[in-house]
């Protein structure tokens, strides 16, 4: 969600920077020849050329990180991610160039499209692989392995998520409520079979084991 919000905010900023009408007395003609504009910029000297090339590279460079962030996937092919991000950046730059044809003071320059796409590629290669690897390591340290569920000794042992505590599953190995271990196993078997009670009915020893012994109050004779 954060990546999508940042992506929308950046695109809004790019639209404001590139689609505002400019009140200029003269504009240069459109450049549809690749690298012709770069050669013209380099002819102006390194300070001016570096400024213009830097602006072209930096305009859409944040998309190299924001587009994968908005996608949100960590396990993805690096080459597929790079291709999708570069293609999206090129399409966005092409859309801006087409919209600029109807904006006063703006001209189309194919070299700007190339610089925008190169900036997206450089930002993606610099940030995204290292960021995804760091996030995977962080989630691996804080996450729980699926092999731990349902196994004794892991999360599933001794009353964990995947198994029953020892002494309950299978044979009962320990005593219960004061009964020795052997007596507990014998009482458990008797409870499953149902032993005869005082009134001829069946008394479940399992319920007695779970609730404890019933206290017996001795009768005391009262003299008349």
């Amino acid at each position: 969600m954060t990546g999508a919000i940042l992506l929308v905010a950046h695109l809004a900023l790019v639209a404001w920077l590139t689609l505002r009408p400019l009140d200029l007395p003269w504009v240069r003609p459109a450049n549809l020849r690749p690298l012709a504009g770069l050669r013209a910029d380099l002819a102006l000297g390194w300070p001016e050329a570096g400024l213009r090339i830097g602006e072209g590279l930096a305009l859409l460079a944040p998309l190299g990180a924001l587009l994968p962030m908005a996608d949100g996937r960590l396990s993805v092919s690096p080459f597929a991610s790079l291709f999708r991000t570069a293609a999206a950046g090129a399409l966005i730059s092409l859309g801006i160039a087409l919209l600029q044809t109807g904006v006063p003071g703006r001209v189309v320059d194919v070299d700007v499209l190339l610089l925008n796409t190169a900036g997206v590629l450089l930002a993606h290669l610099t940030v995204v692989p290292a960021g995804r690897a760091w996030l995977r390591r962080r989630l691996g340290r804080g996450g729980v392995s699926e092999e731990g569920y349902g196994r004794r000794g892991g999360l599933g042992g001794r009353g964990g998520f995947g198994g029953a505590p020892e002494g309950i599953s299978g044979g009962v190995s320990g005593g219960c409520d004061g009964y020795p271990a052997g007596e507990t196993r014998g009482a458990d078997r008797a409870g499953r079979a149902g032993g005869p009670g005082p009134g001829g009915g069946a008394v479940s020893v399992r319920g007695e084991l779970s609730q404890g012994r019933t206290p017996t109050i001795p009768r005391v004779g009262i003299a008349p």
Side-chain angles (χ1 to χ4, degrees):
M1 186 62 180
T2 303
I5 294 174
L6 293 176
L7 177 61
V8 172
H10 176 68
L11 291 177
L13 176 62
V14 169
W16 181 78
L17 291 174
T18 58
L19 299 178
R20 288 181 304 162
L22 298 178
D23 187 11
L24 299 175
W26 175 85
V27 293
R28 63 181 180 178
N31 174 35
L32 300 179
R33 294 171 53 192
L35 304 181
L38 291 178
R39 286 194 294 266
D41 292 338
L42 291 175
L44 299 175
W46 280 109
E48 186 68 22
L51 178 61
R52 294 191 179 186
I53 293 174
E55 289 176 352
L57 291 173
L59 180 64
L60 297 183
L63 295 180
L66 293 178
L67 287 172
M69 185 186 299
D71 181 52
R73 291 182 293 178
L74 294 180
S75 300
V76 63
S77 171
F79 297 103
S81 177
L82 180 64
F83 176 78
R84 287 195 302 266
T85 304
L91 289 176
I92 292 173
S93 181
L94 179 61
I96 292 173
L98 293 177
L99 291 175
Q100 283 178 338
T101 58
V103 179
R106 302 288 184 175
V107 293
V108 177
D109 191 345
V110 67
D111 289 337
V112 174
L113 189 151
L114 296 177
L115 289 173
N116 292 162
T117 306
V120 172
L121 285 172
L122 290 175
H124 184 92
L125 291 174
T126 304
V127 176
V128 173
R132 282 176 172 162
W134 178 77
L135 286 175
R136 284 194 293 266
R137 289 195 301 269
R138 183 179 180 184
L139 294 177
R141 288 195 300 266
V144 178
S145 174
E146 295 180 359
E147 297 179 358
Y149 289 95
R151 295 180 58 184
R152 189 177 299 276
L155 291 178
R158 297 189 179 274
F161 292 110
E166 294 181 358
I168 294 179
S169 178
V172 181
S173 59
C176 178
D177 291 338
Y179 289 90
E183 185 180 347
T184 304
R185 284 194 291 269
D188 186 60
R189 287 193 295 269
R192 284 195 294 270
V203 178
S204 176
V205 184
R206 183 184 299 271
E208 183 181 348
L209 288 176
S210 62
Q211 298 177 4
R213 293 179 179 272
T214 301
T216 304
I217 302 175
R219 294 182 178 180
V220 179
I222 301 175

